[in-house]
Amino acid sequence: MKKIYILLFGLTQTFAYSQTQDLASLASGQNIGMNALFDTKENLYGYVSMYSLGKTDKKTQKFEYVILDKNLNPVANKEFEAGLLVSNYFGYVDFKGQIILQPSDFNYLQAFSKDAALPVSMIINPRTNTVAPKVYYDYLENGTFVEINQPKSFKEERKENRAEKRDKGYNYVSSVAEIKEGGFIAVEYNDYGRYVNKNSLIKFDDNKKEIWRYSYNTNGDKKVFSDLTILDKDEKSIYGILRKVNDDDKTFSLLVIDMKTGKELSNKPITGLSPETIYNIDNLYSSGRRMSNDKSFDDRVLLLGRNYVSKKDRGFARFMLDKNSYNIDLKELNYKPDLSNQIPKLDADGGVENGYFLQTKDVYFLSDGSVGILSEKFKPEGNYSAPKTTDLVYINTDKDFKVKDVQVFEKEKTRWANNDYLFSQYLNNGKDVVFFYRDYQKDQVTKEKKWNLFINTVINGKFKQEMIPISEKDNFTVTPYVGKEGYILLRELNEKEKYNKIRLERLNY
């Protein structure tokens, strides 16, 4: 796989502003990763940089985190211990403003030891700079709330599940989550292996006292059952899609449950698209990776999924829920005929030419209701050939999900990698968007191939592109990260020289 090497020296002539931070000097351990932190409204909060300090004994190791604000100022750091199963952490911000460090890499050899258990997340309180293991809750079949500080080992969990299945014929499954609207929500069901039943959605107050219970799929079996997909929730309601299956017959309805009482506020049928499209509307995958394909506004929820016709992918479907009226607006945008005039040689299944097809890379929901869909031409690996990618294709729609225009960004062929597209960021309170990708291009003067970074803005529906020439020098590996609005963050790393710096650069758009 190709690595991107960027020469940062001299880029200050390209960018109007620069601020740096040396990650290597912020902690004594080995830097093992960094990621951007976003609040619940998708605004950049800052960054967390993780460090490994090595083993403390046969069962534990030590880590250190450093929290940076969005201007790269270090604002908090602390060491903590964890078991040997976890290798790294990924940070995110929860609805309380706490920073959660979620285990992201695991030592699979350690997982086979008899006492190995799933590693827990760590919770950082940024106001007090304290860190502690996350407390989990379990809801038992007898109606008891249990606090879990240490999960059971994998071996113990499997043994108990097998014993329960032999005794009852099913496994009781539950999951509990604290919610920003106050209190807790739990889901429960009986799992028989090939089917589930006795599903319930349960609301508890802050003292873990049950307030209401919504039950469904009471007598479900392999052929006749129902399931519920939660789309969104707010202080007023919980919004979901209830599917009812009777062998080959499938029906769908929008289920709205009152958050305070648990009573149904709406149970409207959902029709107009195929059952496969409606059932998978909350799932959008690309190269086996589940994508973020939804966005909630104060008055509506938007989702983008595949449009299946006769169980075949024929394009895209947009689902829009009005939170006030509970009306649903379903729209489809198919490869043919909707895009065939803008994309040459486009087939009904998304194929373009020479075995390539459009692979979705990202989705942008803008505040005016319009949607941007970014795809890349991708050719899967063959028996004697490498997987390949070429051009990026941006589909720009209006608020009614009609194609406004299509922009094709020509790009050199990349083999054995599918990572030229980097990331995106909303601008101007969600009205506009900027996205970044890289390309390994031949220099017109020297005829040598070099990396270029492309910065693409869609402002008021108009495209603008800026190209930054970047090149290899002295084995400095640089990874671009999302920066605060109007900026990009470049991380320059040379492990041999213990050089690990990040640079915040202003964009010129």
Side-chain angles (χ1 to χ4, degrees):
M1 181 182 296
K2 297 173 182 172
K3 293 183 178 180
I4 181 169
Y5 298 95
I6 302 181
L7 175 60
L8 289 184
F9 181 76
L11 283 187
T12 53
Q13 301 299 317
T14 302
F15 296 103
Y17 172 90
S18 177
Q19 183 174 341
T20 64
Q21 184 61 258
D22 184 3
L23 294 179
S25 67
L26 294 179
S28 58
Q30 177 187 1
N31 182 259
I32 54 176
M34 184 186 82
N35 73 266
L37 300 169
F38 298 89
D39 63 22
T40 54
K41 294 184 178 180
E42 300 183 35
N43 298 314
L44 183 68
Y45 176 97
Y47 305 87
V48 57
S49 184
M50 293 300 306
Y51 299 83
S52 172
L53 280 71
K55 292 183 180 180
T56 54
D57 55 42
K58 292 183 179 180
K59 292 187 176 181
T60 58
Q61 59 182 320
K62 187 173 287 188
F63 294 92
E64 183 174 359
Y65 66 81
V66 176
I67 306 299
L68 307 171
D69 66 17
K70 58 185 177 182
N71 295 310
L72 307 189
N73 300 306
V75 294
N77 71 290
K78 198 143 201 170
E79 297 178 3
F80 65 92
E81 289 190 342
L84 299 180
L85 190 60
V86 60
S87 302
N88 204 349
Y89 290 86
F90 180 87
Y92 68 92
V93 181
D94 71 2
F95 67 87
K96 291 182 176 181
Q98 301 174 131
I99 299 170
I100 312 299
L101 299 180
Q102 184 177 42
S104 60
D105 293 322
F106 300 97
N107 185 330
Y108 290 99
L109 292 177
Q110 288 287 336
F112 287 103
S113 64
K114 65 179 181 178
D115 59 346
L118 187 70
V120 300
S121 297
M122 307 297 293
I123 297 182
I124 302 169
N125 185 329
R127 293 183 293 275
T128 59
N129 191 31
T130 54
V131 59
K134 183 177 180 179
V135 175
Y136 296 85
Y137 297 97
D138 197 5
Y139 182 72
L140 305 183
E141 195 170 8
N142 61 11
T144 305
F145 241 101
V146 178
E147 187 175 293
I148 301 173
N149 294 295
Q150 179 58 51
K152 298 174 183 177
S153 69
F154 296 124
K155 185 176 181 179
E156 185 181 7
E157 190 80 33
R158 288 193 298 269
K159 183 178 179 181
E160 290 186 2
N161 286 341
R162 286 195 292 264
E164 183 186 35
K165 188 72 174 290
R166 286 194 302 267
D167 182 42
K168 299 178 180 178
Y170 65 85
N171 286 124
Y172 173 78
V173 180
S174 67
S175 178
V176 181
E178 189 174 7
I179 59 174
K180 66 179 179 180
E181 293 78 16
F184 300 83
I185 287 284
V187 295
E188 67 171 4
Y189 56 89
N190 293 342
D191 183 359
Y192 289 84
R194 298 184 66 182
Y195 64 94
V196 304
N197 61 27
K198 293 188 177 180
N199 297 65
S200 292
L201 187 66
I202 315 167
K203 175 71 164 55
F204 302 87
D205 64 16
D206 291 332
N207 296 317
K208 306 178 185 66
K209 179 182 178 181
E210 183 176 324
I211 300 175
W212 54 258
R213 176 184 295 254
Y214 183 88
S215 298
Y216 60 99
N217 192 39
T218 306
N219 299 308
D221 57 34
K222 287 182 286 187
K223 291 188 176 183
V224 181
F225 62 90
S226 59
D227 51 37
L228 178 63
T229 300
I230 302 297
L231 301 179
D232 196 30
K233 60 181 178 59
D234 54 33
E235 293 182 355
K236 291 171 44 184
S237 307
I238 298 173
Y239 311 87
I241 296 177
L242 183 66
R243 181 179 68 147
K244 294 183 178 181
V245 178
N246 188 342
D247 208 355
D248 291 332
D249 183 36
K250 301 176 181 66
T251 60
F252 300 83
S253 62
L254 173 70
L255 180 65
V256 183
I257 302 172
D258 188 289
M259 179 65 83
K260 293 182 179 179
T261 66
K263 294 181 178 179
E264 285 188 11
L265 298 176
S266 180
N267 200 334
K268 293 182 178 180
I270 302 174
T271 59
L273 294 175
S274 69
E276 292 79 16
T277 299
I278 299 173
Y279 179 61
N280 292 288
I281 197 67
D282 69 320
N283 293 318
L284 186 63
Y285 285 86
S286 177
S287 295
R289 177 182 64 88
R290 186 171 181 174
M291 299 175 57
S292 175
N293 69 322
D294 67 301
K295 189 171 177 64
S296 296
F297 298 88
D298 292 337
D299 59 345
R300 65 193 189 281
V301 180
L302 286 168
L303 294 98
L304 184 89
R306 305 285 181 199
N307 187 39
Y308 294 97
V309 180
S310 300
K311 299 184 180 181
K312 294 181 180 180
D313 175 19
R314 294 300 188 223
F316 303 97
R318 190 200 68 177
F319 177 105
M320 184 166 69
L321 162 66
D322 187 315
K323 289 185 177 182
N324 297 316
S325 67
Y326 309 142
N327 289 331
I328 293 175
D329 183 26
L330 294 173
K331 293 283 194 306
E332 56 184 305
L333 190 160
N334 292 321
Y335 301 122
K336 295 187 75 171
D338 300 313
L339 293 168
S340 52
N341 290 334
Q342 291 89 352
I343 305 175
K345 302 179 181 179
L346 182 64
D347 294 332
D349 61 356
V352 277
E353 71 275 330
N354 301 322
Y356 286 82
F357 68 92
L358 293 182
Q359 180 187 70
T360 307
K361 302 299 290 185
D362 213 340
V363 181
Y364 316 115
F365 299 96
L366 303 182
S367 58
D368 64 355
S370 62
V371 179
I373 306 170
L374 184 67
S375 299
E376 187 174 32
K377 295 179 181 179
F378 171 73
K379 187 173 184 178
E381 180 179 359
N383 291 332
Y384 304 101
S385 61
K388 308 174 186 68
T389 61
T390 58
D391 305 338
L392 287 167
V393 179
Y394 188 98
I395 303 166
N396 194 21
T397 80
D398 61 16
K399 61 183 180 60
D400 296 316
F401 206 49
K402 299 291 185 183
V403 178
K404 288 172 60 177
D405 52 48
V406 174
Q407 186 80 18
V408 177
F409 300 93
E410 294 185 358
K411 190 166 58 66
E412 293 293 320
K413 185 182 297 182
T414 300
R415 293 178 172 85
W416 295 112
N418 196 357
N419 56 2
D420 288 343
Y421 173 66
L422 300 173
F423 48 79
S424 64
Q425 181 182 20
Y426 287 107
L427 303 174
N428 304 319
N429 295 317
K431 293 195 305 180
D432 307 305
V433 70
V434 56
F435 62 91
F436 302 80
Y437 70 88
R438 61 178 190 164
D439 194 13
Y440 196 53
Q441 298 179 325
K442 182 179 290 188
D443 187 279
Q444 296 300 317
V445 178
T446 65
K447 305 302 180 183
E448 295 180 359
K449 277 200 165 185
K450 297 183 178 181
W451 285 105
N452 291 320
L453 178 68
F454 288 84
I455 304 162
N456 312 273
T457 55
V458 186
I459 298 177
N460 294 323
K462 297 182 179 179
F463 290 92
K464 182 181 177 182
Q465 185 180 82
E466 181 182 3
M467 186 270 286
I468 306 299
I470 50 182
S471 58
E472 301 179 7
K473 185 174 176 63
D474 299 331
N475 289 328
F476 280 86
T477 305
V478 170
T479 305
Y481 289 78
V482 65
K484 62 182 180 178
E485 185 169 325
Y487 293 78
I488 186 173
L489 182 72
L490 300 175
R491 179 186 178 192
E492 186 180 19
L493 175 66
N494 187 320
E495 293 184 359
K496 185 177 180 180
E497 297 184 15
K498 297 182 179 180
Y499 188 91
N500 192 354
K501 289 190 176 182
I502 52 177
R503 182 185 298 265
L504 190 63
E505 306 285 6
R506 181 180 291 166
L507 306 174
N508 292 328
Y509 62 80

